[in-house]
Structures are given as C-alpha cells and as structure tokens.
Amino acid sequence: DDIYHTINTVFSSPYPQQRLDASRLAAYRAFGQLLGIALRTNVTLPNLKLARLLWSTMACSKPTREHLAQIDSGILQVVEGLENLQGIGVDSNNFEALLGDLDIRFVVPSWDLNTAIPLCPDGQCHRLEFETAKKFAHLLISARIQETAPMISAICAGLSSIIPQRLSALFTETELESQIVQGGRNQ
C-alpha cells in the first residue's frame, strides 16, 4: 500500500511542485514504462488513481476542459463565468464595475505559484476586458493544459517505449485505465 500511496501522490498531483529537471523527467518516464509493463504483462495496479487528463493523453486523445476541471475544479467555474458573462447579466457597460480595482492581465500564476505564465505574447500588457473575456478563458485552459505537458510527455514516452504508440492509440482512455488498473483483457 505504501508504494501505491507514493505513486498516487506523485503522479496524480496536478501541481508540478518543482521545475522538471532531468532526473524528475526520468522518473516520469520510468513511471510510464511501469504502466507499459503492467499493460503488456497484464499485471494490474489496482490502487492506482490517475487524473483523466493523463489517461486521455496516454490514449492519444486530446485533453478537454472537463479533464482539467478534475484536477483544478475552480478553473472551470472561472472559464464558464467568463464565457457566459451576458448570461449572468454582465455587459460592456458594467464589466469594469464587476472587476472593481482588479487589474487582471493576460498573465496567470503557474500552479506552483513560482512563475507567471503569459497567456499571449506580452500578456502583461493586455488587460482583461469584456470584449476579450472569452479569449482569456480559452487561453487560460490552453495554458493550464500546456503546463502539464512536460510531465505527461515523459510518461507517454515511457509508455511508448514498452507499448508502441500506435497500439496504445487503439485504447480509449477508459479502456486503457481499465486494462492497467483492473486487468481482464480478453485473450
């Protein structure tokens, strides 16, 4: 159980606690190889709980905002609010009053809060306005997904070193998870 706790803590966390140096990327790659070995040998990892974002990417599917919401529930609320301003009674006339003294720029803190991530070139120079709210929401989702890309790419590289990517692409995210966590492949 200790190994599962360690794996679940390290690899299901959406927050890269540190910059991904070579040794950390190597650990993620080794984890991907472990998943590949489990899949190839039909050895299950029954207590493994990973974010949908990871299962989706390993199955060569495009991550969605719903996948991201699983690891950062607040982000979907913010995005949906920005995309539906008129639905909640906000228009270009009262948007400034809604923000009050907030000066929101096209820059967001990284998940580890150590880095400012520009949502577009010169993001710090672009202020959030009513007319740009939907663009901000879209860029925010993209930035959060991209923030996980190095970690997920290393895991996928490890998986594909054991199971060719063209084969793992045959699985849906649910099938891939089921095979690794529950086993029971049809022989």
Side-chain angles (χ1 to χ4, degrees), residues 22-147:
S23 65
R24 200 148 165 90
L25 286 172
Y28 285 122
R29 189 175 194 287
F31 179 68
Q33 289 174 321
L34 174 69
L35 296 176
I37 291 167
L39 183 61
R40 188 171 202 138
T41 62
N42 202 27
V43 172
T44 61
L45 303 172
N47 295 322
L48 186 64
K49 294 173 183 68
L50 300 175
R52 299 263 26 110
L53 182 69
L54 181 56
W55 290 115
S56 170
T57 307
M58 286 190 303
C60 301
S61 297
K62 185 177 180 183
T64 66
R65 64 173 52 194
E66 288 74 22
H67 293 132
L68 190 58
Q70 180 193 23
I71 57 176
D72 187 351
S73 59
I75 197 169
L76 196 56
Q77 293 173 340
V78 169
V79 166
E80 288 175 348
L82 289 171
E83 290 176 338
N84 188 34
L85 288 173
Q86 290 178 323
I88 59 174
V90 177
D91 59 27
S92 59
N93 296 321
N94 62 7
F95 184 75
E96 292 297 322
L98 175 71
L99 290 182
D101 292 336
L102 293 176
D103 182 22
I104 300 174
R105 301 296 173 145
F106 274 62
V107 176
V108 294
S110 61
W111 267 322
D112 64 7
L113 303 176
N114 290 328
T115 308
I117 300 172
L119 299 180
C120 62
D122 296 322
Q124 70 279 6
C125 297
H126 300 281
R127 190 168 189 275
L128 175 62
E129 298 174 349
F130 178 78
E131 294 77 16
T132 60
K134 288 182 182 179
K135 179 179 180 179
F136 183 94
H138 173 76
L139 292 171
L140 177 58
I141 291 285
S142 295
R144 287 294 185 234
I145 289 173
Q146 286 304 311
E147 198 172 353

